């Protein structure tokens, strides 16, 4: 009986889950795109490859198969050498076609990581969202958000501080300056406290240039920090609020609230009249820093993301819908 049970397990895939764990995983040093979806990672991966390839061909041109190197004359080749050459040509062409994008396990549910090679992920994803924002065409059913990942490091305080102190120089080191916000999210990781990470990153930005200022409503740049297990994914994005936090479904929606002009105008005086209250709230410093969280309704499972900001003597946290 025991032998028949063992055979049935082997035959019907009793240990199939172990084979999947051998697939490529997200590692430190990777560049690419984090793609979130709703309960269908396989379909999400397929859509991501199709969408990224379409716009990458428009930006960088279609991928060309690589040359096979040395080419001998047919007289000097025998049948076996010709066969080997043909096989090598097929293999090299397949490698070049798969070189631009490759999928990896992110380490979190409903999240797919797409490696990019020879492609700037920030430029590519911004180009995709810009086109969707202008045309209002929905080109995906399962994909929710696409977040470029320009750099990765180990998700430990000393490693993150060392990496970000160099990584952020491109955008924030003097004479460069910009208004910014910091958005943090951790998945399957409990060794990073949100407040500590936010304050550390804001401190680095302030050291690079004291003229860098926080803007909660319409920042020029958004610092995205996504931690999955022990890997910290970082990017600095433009038009984060304009493109609805890089949500492909929301960007493609037609605007529906533009006809409420009089009501919006009526609300403006009430918002402007709260200046003294805002000044009083800002003077309370770190004790009145609200630990607010935002629920992202990404399908059936909502994601929690917080955008926190440090400025002056106090800490501000804003939840962006």
């Amino acid at each position: 009986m025991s032998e028949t049970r063992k055979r049935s397990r082997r035959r019907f895939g009793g240990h199939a889950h172990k084979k999947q764990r051998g697939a490529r995983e997200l590692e430190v040093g990777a560049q690419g795109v984090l793609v979130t979806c709703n309960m269908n990672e396989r379909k999400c991966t397929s859509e991501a490859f199709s969408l990224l390839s379409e716009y990458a061909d428009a930006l960088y041109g279609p991928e060309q198969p690589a040359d096979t190197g040395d080419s001998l004359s047919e007289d000097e080749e025998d049948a076996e050498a010709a066969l080997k050459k043909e096989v090598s040509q097929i293999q090299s062409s397949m490698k070049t076609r798969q070189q631009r994008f490759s999928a990896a396990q992110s380490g979190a549910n409903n999240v797919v990581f797409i490696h990019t090679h020879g492609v700037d992920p920030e430029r590519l994803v911004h180009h995709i969202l810009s086109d969707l924002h202008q045309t209002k065409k929905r080109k995906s059913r399962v994909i929710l958000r696409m977040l470029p990942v320009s750099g990765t490091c180990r998700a430990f305080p000393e490693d993150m501080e060392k990496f970000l102190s160099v990584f952020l120089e491109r955008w924030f080191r003097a004479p460069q300056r910009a208004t910014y916000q910091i958005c943090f999210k951790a998945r399957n990781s409990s060794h990073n406290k949100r407040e500590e990470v936010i304050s550390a990153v804001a401190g680095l930005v302030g050291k690079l240039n004291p003229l860098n200022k926080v803007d909660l409503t319409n920042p020029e740049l958004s610092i995205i920090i996504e931690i999955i297990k022990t890997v910290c994914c970082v990017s600095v994005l433009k038009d984060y609020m304009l493109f609805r936090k890089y949500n492909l479904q929301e960007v493609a929606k037609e605007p529906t609230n533009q006809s409420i002009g009089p009501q919006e105008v009526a609300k403006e005086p009430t918002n402007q009249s709260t200046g003294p209250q805002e000044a009083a709230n800002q003077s309370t410093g770190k004790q009145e820093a609200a630990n607010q969280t935002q629920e992202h309704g990404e399908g059936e499972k909502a994601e929690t993301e917080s955008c926190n900001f440090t400025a002056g003597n106090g800490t501000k946290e804003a939840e962006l819908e």
Side-chain angles (χ1 to χ4, degrees), residues 191-251:
H191 58 274
N192 286 285
K193 294 184 178 180
R194 181 190 58 183
E195 293 80 5
E196 295 178 358
V197 173
I198 293 299
S199 60
V201 175
L204 292 174
V205 176
K207 289 180 181 179
L208 292 174
N209 190 347
L211 297 179
N212 295 319
K213 300 298 180 181
V214 174
D215 189 344
L216 309 184
T217 56
N218 189 25
E220 296 174 346
L221 300 173
S222 297
I223 303 174
I224 310 299
I225 299 177
E226 294 268 342
I227 295 178
I228 303 179
K229 290 186 175 180
T230 59
V231 179
C232 176
C233 303
V234 187
S235 58
V236 179
L237 306 180
K238 300 183 297 182
D239 302 320
Y240 189 65
M241 303 305 297
L242 176 64
F243 294 157
R244 306 301 298 275
K245 298 183 179 180
Y246 280 41
N247 189 311
L248 273 64
Q249 305 297 328
E250 296 295 327
V251 168

Side-chain angles (χ1 to χ4, degrees), residues 28-300:
V28 174
Q31 263 193 342
V33 182
L34 272 178
V35 186
T36 64
C37 62
N38 187 12
M39 305 299 291
N40 196 337
E41 294 184 12
R42 182 173 298 180
K43 178 66 175 177
C44 174
T45 304
S46 177
E47 286 187 356
F49 273 115
S50 177
L51 196 61
L52 292 171
S53 298
E54 176 186 349
Y55 285 89
D57 290 346
L59 280 177
Y60 302 98
E63 291 183 278
Q64 300 293 334
D67 296 334
T68 57
D70 298 336
S71 58
L72 300 176
S73 60
E74 296 181 357
D75 296 337
E76 298 176 355
E77 291 180 345
D78 54 6
E80 183 178 359
L83 180 60
K84 290 182 179 179
K85 180 180 178 180
E86 185 177 357
V87 171
S88 64
Q89 288 178 350
I90 296 174
Q91 292 177 347
S92 62
S93 62
M94 292 177 63
K95 289 181 180 179
T96 54
R97 290 177 184 175
Q98 297 174 358
Q99 183 179 7
R100 186 171 277 178
F101 304 108
S102 59
Q105 294 182 359
S106 65
N109 292 331
N110 302 326
V111 181
V112 177
F113 186 79
I114 306 296
H115 285 274
T116 59
H117 306 277
V119 174
D120 183 1
E122 289 184 12
R123 181 188 176 193
L124 177 58
V125 176
H126 188 276
H127 180 63
I128 294 173
L129 289 164
S130 177
D131 182 66
L132 298 182
H133 179 71
Q134 294 177 2
T135 62
K136 299 300 179 182
K137 291 182 179 179
R138 297 185 61 178
K139 294 192 175 183
S140 65
R141 294 184 178 181
V142 179
I143 296 175
L144 297 177
R145 301 172 70 200
M146 275 189 165
L147 294 175
V149 176
S150 299
T152 53
C153 64
R154 297 180 63 195
F156 299 99
E158 57 276 7
D159 298 289
M160 293 172 60
E161 183 176 359
K162 182 179 179 181
F163 175 78
L164 290 172
S165 61
V166 179
F167 178 82
L168 296 175
E169 288 183 351
R170 172 183 168 187
W171 298 272
F172 299 104
R173 186 177 183 84
Q176 301 290 335
R177 65 175 182 175
T179 58
Y180 71 97
Q181 66 177 349
I182 303 172
C183 297
F184 172 85
K185 181 172 179 60
R187 296 179 175 90
N188 298 339
S189 175
S190 59
H191 58 274
N192 286 285
K193 294 184 178 180
R194 181 190 58 183
E195 293 80 5
E196 295 178 358
V197 173
I198 293 299
S199 60
V201 175
L204 292 174
V205 176
K207 289 180 181 179
L208 292 174
N209 190 347
L211 297 179
N212 295 319
K213 300 298 180 181
V214 174
D215 189 344
L216 309 184
T217 56
N218 189 25
E220 296 174 346
L221 300 173
S222 297
I223 303 174
I224 310 299
I225 299 177
E226 294 268 342
I227 295 178
I228 303 179
K229 290 186 175 180
T230 59
V231 179
C232 176
C233 303
V234 187
S235 58
V236 179
L237 306 180
K238 300 183 297 182
D239 302 320
Y240 189 65
M241 303 305 297
L242 176 64
F243 294 157
R244 306 301 298 275
K245 298 183 179 180
Y246 280 41
N247 189 311
L248 273 64
Q249 305 297 328
E250 296 295 327
V251 168
K253 288 183 178 180
E254 293 288 346
T256 56
N257 297 327
Q258 291 184 355
S259 61
I260 319 177
Q263 296 181 2
E264 293 179 353
V265 173
K267 290 181 181 179
E268 289 181 358
T270 59
N271 292 334
Q272 292 178 357
S273 63
T274 58
Q277 295 180 1
E278 291 180 355
N281 292 335
Q282 292 179 358
S283 63
T284 57
K286 294 183 178 179
Q287 294 182 355
E288 288 194 0
N291 293 326
Q292 302 173 350
T293 56
Q294 173 200 6
E295 297 300 329
H296 272 283
E298 294 192 350
E300 298 177 0

